[in-house]
Amino acid sequence: MVRTFIIDTDTASDDAVAILMALQYPDVEVAGITVVHGNVPLHQCLANALFTLEVAGVDVPVWAGADRPLLRPASTAQAFHGVDGLGDAGYGPPSRTPEAGHGADALIDLVRANPGCTLVTLGPLTNVALAISRAPDIVDCIGRCVVMGGAANTVGNVTPAAEFNIWVDPDAAAIVFRSGLSVEMVGWELCRGDAGLSQDEYEALRALGTPAAKFAIGCQAAVIRAIADMEGVPSITLPDPVAMAVALEPEICIRSSRHLVEVETTSELTRGMTVVDALDVASRRDPGPAWELARAVTVCREVDIPRWKSLLRTCLA
Ligand code: BDR
Ligand code: CA
């Protein structure tokens, strides 16, 4: 049976790989891609999403969404992904054009037209929060919502407490996590360490020689440099593709648990922290909204690393 995916993305290097995976996967049809600010400014994320479709040789409608967080100025990750988000390797510009209309409205229409769909979010949650606020009925139409974001009570990548996608627009993330949506959180902690690609691993993928494989590794040039600067050894982390792997093959998440997950929106120190009520203490103490939301979020705790890497290889081959 064909599954319908909708992807919301701040398209930069790892988003592009995640999009390629969904486009190449056999029983999945991508009904639409909505783009949000994040890794780079919105217009560049949009160009990158359109260019990725060109590499894949697939036609999928793409919409531009929010160009900034709900309540805060935009922040980018160009020091990590490159000024153009694709490693400044000289890709594009794309020849394709986006659809008319706002990405949040497109999300509403896409979800209503595809009840039971899987929504995969790869960027800040601004578009999703706007869509849910405008049309709360879509919550019940979404079968799965796989979120690349957060760090389950562990270290962050943009501050010690927070992961980039949630930190950039914590107010949007708080709306989404409290919406009743069936969120599956794939946090940053699952994507680093052995889940990243060593130089041997990424060179083996590049050597597959397909347009998708060459682009998937070629657009990581800035990421490879940034990680080599930080850690002394070149490697690639691919958070969005890890989340996409879980969306495509749920068994890749080999351990999970359901909890109340709250997002910090007021403190500067811990802005965007995803506070997982691992022992259900808050939900047991609070008979109000926290209790209703208890175990609302499925927190992925462990991924099958060999299987995620094998899926990546299959999709790029
Ligand atoms: C997330 O932030 C972005 O830089 C990546 O594209 C990914 O979505 C990882 O923290
Ligand atoms: Ca992303």
Side-chain angles (χ1 to χ4, degrees), residues 10 14-15 39 77 81 122-123 148 157 163-165 188 239-240:
D10 59 334
D14 66 322
D15 300 69
N39 286 316
H81 293 280
L122 308 175
M148 191 291 120
N157 60 2
E163 178 279 332
F164 179 80
N165 289 339
W188 157 244
D240 293 338

Side-chain angles (χ1 to χ4, degrees), residues 223-256:
V223 169
I224 292 170
R225 278 195 302 273
I227 294 181
D229 278 355
M230 282 185 289
E231 298 176 7
V233 185
S235 65
I236 303 175
T237 49
L238 291 169
D240 293 338
V242 171
M244 185 60 78
V246 170
L248 293 169
E249 297 189 355
E251 312 77 34
I252 286 181
C253 172
I254 49 180
R255 197 161 52 86
S256 66

Side-chain angles (χ1 to χ4, degrees), residues 257-311:
S257 46
R258 291 172 64 96
H259 302 285
L260 170 72
V261 179
E262 302 259 50
V263 180
E264 175 59 55
T265 56
T266 49
S267 153
E268 262 316 299
L269 179 64
T270 55
R271 162 183 167 178
M273 184 173 182
T274 44
V275 181
V276 177
D277 187 10
L279 299 179
D280 299 328
V281 285
S283 19
R284 263 186 271 124
R285 195 181 321 115
D286 180 353
W291 176 247
E292 285 161 28
L293 287 163
R295 295 181 288 281
V297 174
T298 300
V299 180
C300 179
R301 298 292 194 174
E302 188 179 354
V303 291
D304 182 335
I305 292 176
R307 186 163 165 186
W308 118 251
K309 289 184 177 176
S310 153
L311 174 60

